[in-house]
Amino acid sequence: MSRRLLPSGESALLVECDSLEEVLALHDALEEARPPGVVELVPAARTLLVSVDPERMPLESAATWIRRIPAEAGSRVAGAHAEPMRIRVTYDGADLAATAALLHMSVDALVARHSGIEWRVAFVGFAPGFGYLVSEDWPHEVPRLEAPRPRVPGGSVAVAGAFGGVYPRQSPGGWRLLGRTDAPLWDPAAAEPAVLAPGRRVRFEPTR
């Protein structure tokens, strides 16, 4: 696995990887062996930001730790949550039928595939609390809408590219809407505002 380390201020290192699979494997390996002084691990599509307390772990020590941790792309360890979060979904999204047609399957088959697999939050981006979900059992590349919607309701369950996601609150968006959920996923007043934090496992449950 390639790991290119770049300084990011006085208290963080940015680790560049060649793929999302490498990022996920490294994130899991570092989380599993996380020493005192590591403040936060922030994954993205091709990078992992490692934030430290320099008084407890100097950047030089952090760099050595990152380089020495064994990890291979595709390897996974259990996330912080032993059981996946279950999100109940009403599959009546505006793009459900069109997305099924794009994937050459029936609506029922699409619902069964989307809800029958386990997802994992790879990283958070786009909007506060918006988790990009991935699954080894989701082989599809779903094109985004040609023109984004100016308003996507909060709780909308959607797919785009190789990712799944749930809009935590109303926002613009170009993902294809499969359904909706009432599950609260973003609370700025909470100690951990984003429910769908990196590493969390998720399963969707149809309400119909």
Side-chain angles (χ1 to χ4, degrees), residues 3-77:
R3 303 175 199 182
R4 294 173 292 278
L5 276 61
L6 303 172
S8 184
E10 298 179 353
S11 60
L13 291 168
L14 187 69
V15 187
E16 293 183 336
C17 299
D18 287 337
S19 68
L20 177 57
E21 280 294 321
E22 290 190 359
V23 171
L24 296 179
L26 182 59
H27 173 272
D28 284 356
L30 294 178
E31 186 66 58
E32 189 78 355
R34 184 169 176 166
V38 176
V39 177
E40 191 175 15
L41 302 174
V42 184
R46 294 292 184 275
T47 61
L48 178 65
L49 184 70
V50 180
S51 176
V52 301
D53 179 350
E55 294 186 0
R56 303 180 70 189
M57 175 175 270
L59 284 181
E60 294 82 359
S61 299
T64 300
W65 171 63
I66 294 167
R67 291 191 178 100
R68 289 182 176 176
I69 287 290
E72 294 297 332
S75 65
R76 304 282 177 85
V77 297

Side-chain angles (χ1 to χ4, degrees), residues 119-123 131-135 162-166 196 202 204:
W119 299 80
R120 168 209 169 112
V121 183
F123 56 92
Y132 283 73
L133 309 179
V134 295
S135 175
F163 299 101
V166 184
L196 297 182
V202 176
F204 295 107

Side-chain angles (χ1 to χ4, degrees), residues 46-187:
R46 294 292 184 275
T47 61
L48 178 65
L49 184 70
V50 180
S51 176
V52 301
D53 179 350
E55 294 186 0
R56 303 180 70 189
M57 175 175 270
L59 284 181
E60 294 82 359
S61 299
T64 300
W65 171 63
I66 294 167
R67 291 191 178 100
R68 289 182 176 176
I69 287 290
E72 294 297 332
S75 65
R76 304 282 177 85
V77 297
H81 302 272
E83 292 296 325
M85 177 183 181
R86 298 189 177 273
I87 298 177
R88 291 181 60 78
V89 179
T90 300
Y91 285 94
D92 61 356
D95 305 312
L96 180 62
T99 304
L102 280 172
L103 299 178
H104 305 289
M105 62 175 67
S106 68
V107 167
D108 288 345
L110 175 55
V111 171
R113 170 58 67 90
H114 185 264
S115 62
I117 61 178
E118 184 173 282
W119 299 80
R120 168 209 169 112
V121 183
F123 56 92
V124 176
F126 166 63
F130 188 98
Y132 283 73
L133 309 179
V134 295
S135 175
E136 294 176 354
D137 298 315
W138 181 260
H140 309 294
E141 284 281 344
V142 182
R144 295 170 182 261
L145 297 175
E146 292 184 4
R149 291 182 172 91
R151 293 183 183 85
V152 176
S156 295
V157 177
V159 292
F163 299 101
V166 184
Y167 285 80
R169 56 184 179 177
Q170 179 177 290
S171 68
W175 288 33
R176 294 182 180 270
L177 309 184
L178 303 186
R180 54 192 166 85
T181 181
D182 294 328
L185 300 175
W186 172 254
D187 181 1

